[in-house]
Amino acid sequence: GATGPSVQVHESTRVLLDGYRKAALFAAIAIVVLLLADFRIVPDALCALLPVVVGLVLLLGVMAALGIARNFANTSVMPLIIGLGGDAGVHAVHRWRTQPDDVPAGLAGGTGRAITLTSVTTAIGFACMVIAEHRGVRSLGVVMTLGLVFTWAASVFVLPPALRLRSRVGSRGGG
């Protein structure tokens, strides 16, 4: 039966966090559906999602290690990380599908440079929020910057070997 500003803030925070979690889930589902429609092959769609999955796992691990709590400010960027990280994977997998023998797999022909440039410019934009005095804005900047860096790193260091392995599996009739 308690009321007042404290209860309202607590309840609105809970509602916001629940909404952001649902948004991240809906974003992930929509992206999976779009990737399946685009690639029409489940293993290729999964490869495109690999940078997002690896990036989010690394992000959540680093957040836990650094004691960065998930709050409504930094949770709001999870759908953005899913979308932007998925973008890099999509471009790399499309490049790999057109030129499967290029090295590094999926990053040749300027694709790796383009992924790096778009990831870095976006990360710089969000990194500028790190100097904010408002803790929520600062937290959002830290989480978004780390998320972008981790999804970029997964796109450059994890995805090419996965695509190379995918090439070997596909050449044996497995996909």
Side-chain angles (χ1 to χ4, degrees):
T3 62
S6 297
V7 174
Q8 290 172 337
V9 168
H10 175 74
E11 186 60 22
S12 65
T13 300
R14 187 190 63 73
V15 169
L16 281 170
L17 284 172
D18 186 51
Y20 290 141
R21 284 186 197 106
K22 287 179 183 174
L25 177 63
F26 293 149
I29 290 169
I31 289 169
V32 168
V33 169
L34 284 171
L35 291 177
L36 289 171
D38 180 39
F39 291 116
R40 291 185 169 84
I41 300 172
V42 172
D44 290 0
L46 293 176
C47 283
L49 287 172
L50 187 61
V52 174
V53 173
V54 170
L56 286 176
V57 168
L58 288 171
L59 175 62
L60 293 174
V62 168
M63 285 175 65
L66 296 177
I68 300 172
R70 285 183 285 151
N71 56 41
F72 65 86
N74 62 37
T75 303
S76 68
V77 300
M78 293 301 172
L80 290 171
I81 294 170
I82 292 169
L84 293 168
D87 185 53
V90 167
H91 291 300
V93 173
H94 273 292
R95 171 62 71 169
W96 167 78
R97 288 177 78 168
T98 60
Q99 297 173 306
D101 296 326
D102 282 352
V103 176
L107 300 180
T111 303
R113 285 190 307 273
I115 288 170
T116 297
L117 187 59
T118 57
S119 296
V120 168
T121 56
T122 307
I124 287 170
F126 281 101
C128 290
M129 297 174 132
V130 173
I131 62 172
E133 290 185 34
H134 188 276
R135 289 185 318 170
V137 172
R138 187 179 327 121
S139 175
L140 185 150
V142 167
V143 169
M144 189 66 189
T145 302
L146 288 173
L148 287 169
V149 168
F150 292 146
T151 56
W152 167 81
S155 297
V156 172
F157 299 112
V158 177
L159 185 55
L163 291 173
R164 198 55 69 212
L165 181 61
R166 172 83 180 98
S167 291
R168 288 189 198 122
V169 169
S171 68
R172 290 192 303 248

